[in-house]
Amino acid sequence: MWVGLSAKMASSDNESPLAVTTNTGEIIHKIERRSPQLVSYKTNLVKCVPTDEKGKLRYPNQKEISLCIAHLDDELRELQPKIVFLLGEKVAKAVCEHLSIPFQKWKGLEYSAAEYHSTFFIPVHHPSYIYVYRRKQVDEYVNRLAQIIDTLMP
């Protein structure tokens, strides 16, 4: 399972969260191709598109996160994923706090998993951060997350 922060303005009705047409979705797709046995689900912590008074996309506030996090609880209960990648610090902190699991910030591209109810929660850099600020490390990032999947999914 991949958990992003919030929905973005869709260009069509059938656009899914973390779509492959986005930089984030493209990187996730590269990781998924490395693990063909993987069945994944993509979602966002905040289901609505948070916009400012001018209609521009903005980060969701704490109230919006708090109101929507129950949807993630439902998805976790229904899907029972083995691995949940928490994309970015805002998502990682919110989910870890909500579930009362320790948040371990990454060091470089080294990530730590916290097990909770037979699911591994792994806070990672958001793929768009890697794409924008560490573009030369995209392949390393993809390899690292693929290794984590291979290690946790025998």
Side-chain angles (χ1 to χ4, degrees), residues 2 23-35 38 85 87 108-111 124-128 130-131 134-151:
W2 305 90
N23 294 329
T24 293
E26 182 181 337
I27 291 172
I28 290 171
H29 185 67
K30 286 180 182 181
I31 297 163
E32 291 172 333
R33 282 195 320 239
R34 292 277 311 274
S35 304
L38 183 72
F85 287 105
L87 305 178
L109 294 179
E110 293 299 316
Y111 305 106
V124 299
H125 289 96
H126 196 288
S128 65
I130 297 294
Y131 182 83
R134 295 193 174 178
R135 191 170 300 195
K136 292 179 181 176
Q137 292 182 297
V138 167
D139 289 340
E140 186 180 350
Y141 177 79
V142 167
N143 290 337
R144 182 66 190 118
L145 296 191
Q147 287 172 347
I148 291 169
I149 292 167
D150 291 344
T151 300

Side-chain angles (χ1 to χ4, degrees), residues 77-98:
R77 200 170 18 263
E78 182 179 330
L79 300 170
Q80 299 180 353
K82 177 83 171 154
I83 302 170
V84 177
F85 287 105
L86 304 172
L87 305 178
E89 194 168 345
K90 286 183 181 292
V91 171
K93 283 184 175 180
V95 172
C96 289
E97 181 179 303
H98 176 70

Side-chain angles (χ1 to χ4, degrees), residues 64-106:
E64 291 163 329
I65 291 171
S66 296
L67 287 171
C68 287
I69 206 155
H71 296 293
L72 181 64
D73 290 336
D74 294 340
E75 290 167 319
L76 292 169
R77 200 170 18 263
E78 182 179 330
L79 300 170
Q80 299 180 353
K82 177 83 171 154
I83 302 170
V84 177
F85 287 105
L86 304 172
L87 305 178
E89 194 168 345
K90 286 183 181 292
V91 171
K93 283 184 175 180
V95 172
C96 289
E97 181 179 303
H98 176 70
L99 297 176
S100 299
I101 58 177
F103 168 68
Q104 294 184 35
K105 185 154 173 143
W106 46 83

